[in-house]
Amino acid sequence: MIRKEDDLLVNGERRRTGDEVMAAAVALLRKGGIALHPGLSDAEVNEIELRFDFRFNPDHRQFLQLAVPIAPGWADWRDEDEIRKSLHAPIEGVLFDVQNGAFWPASWGDRPVDLGRALATAEVRLTSVPQLIPVRGHRYMVAGDHNVGTPVFSVHQTDDIVYGDNFLDYVSRELFGGELSRSCATKVPFWSQLADGLESSEM
């Protein structure tokens, strides 16, 4: 559902409604030559959320109901196998770094000596981490009912950066480059800690 009361402050401009912000993102995608299909219907969004057992955050849902990018790399919500693989990738990447001994947050307690037990413990711990939903390639948005303006992360194993303070900022950077600004980025548990460069001992 598109919520007309939502707004963002983008590049010092006046505060704009959620409709205007997402329309601006769609316009940037067209300017960048990204092919777009018509947006998902309410029924399609609900079916996707039921099939994959998550909820889009309001920004992500609003965008996908306006337009669906069909260019290479963009999440194809009509390809179930691709989406399942993309949904599992962030956690599998973290587990890869756990397996190779490079990652173990202090908040998880002492790391078991046995690798199997360490991986099992990590899997349990990671069930409480906010789920990431694919946008394009390694770019993800957090799932769930968050405030408007959630960041877009670029995640590869535990190498994580904020690739946009919000969806419009992300599209601008993805297509046209520019400096990364995290001054207004909403903090997301775990993923923002990685993006802030915290060491395992600090998490």
Side-chain angles (χ1 to χ4, degrees), residues 83-132:
I83 294 301
R84 288 198 185 280
K85 182 178 179 181
S86 296
L87 285 169
H88 294 153
I91 296 301
E92 288 177 351
V94 174
L95 289 173
F96 179 87
D97 280 357
V98 169
Q99 182 174 357
N100 286 275
F103 185 74
W104 190 267
S107 61
W108 291 1
D110 293 335
R111 177 180 174 127
V113 175
D114 178 75
L115 178 58
R117 289 185 59 199
L119 286 171
T121 300
E123 286 191 63
V124 171
R125 291 288 188 171
L126 289 168
T127 59
S128 63
V129 168
Q131 186 175 9
L132 294 183

Side-chain angles (χ1 to χ4, degrees), residues 32-101:
I34 304 299
L36 301 171
H37 274 173
L40 301 173
S41 67
D42 284 341
E44 286 179 301
V45 169
N46 292 339
E47 194 277 331
I48 288 169
E49 292 179 332
L50 181 63
R51 184 191 309 170
F52 298 112
D53 192 26
F54 74 84
R55 287 183 60 82
F56 288 108
N57 76 50
D59 284 350
H60 204 170
R61 177 173 181 141
Q62 185 171 353
F63 167 70
L64 289 173
Q65 293 203 272
L66 285 177
V68 178
I70 57 171
W74 290 85
D76 182 354
W77 290 100
R78 297 178 174 95
D79 185 331
E80 181 171 352
D81 290 340
E82 175 192 315
I83 294 301
R84 288 198 185 280
K85 182 178 179 181
S86 296
L87 285 169
H88 294 153
I91 296 301
E92 288 177 351
V94 174
L95 289 173
F96 179 87
D97 280 357
V98 169
Q99 182 174 357
N100 286 275

Side-chain angles (χ1 to χ4, degrees), residues 106-182:
S107 61
W108 291 1
D110 293 335
R111 177 180 174 127
V113 175
D114 178 75
L115 178 58
R117 289 185 59 199
L119 286 171
T121 300
E123 286 191 63
V124 171
R125 291 288 188 171
L126 289 168
T127 59
S128 63
V129 168
Q131 186 175 9
L132 294 183
I133 308 302
V135 175
R136 179 182 185 273
H138 294 296
R139 320 295 192 229
Y140 289 84
M141 295 185 78
V142 67
D145 295 323
H146 293 265
N147 293 331
V148 69
T150 53
V152 176
F153 296 99
S154 181
V155 178
H156 179 66
Q157 295 165 214
T158 51
D159 182 4
D160 173 9
I161 64 172
V162 175
Y163 215 79
D165 279 356
N166 52 65
F167 190 77
L168 178 55
D169 183 40
Y170 157 69
V171 170
S172 179
R173 290 198 70 250
E174 185 73 88
L175 299 183
F176 304 105
E179 292 287 328
L180 174 63
S181 171
R182 287 179 284 179

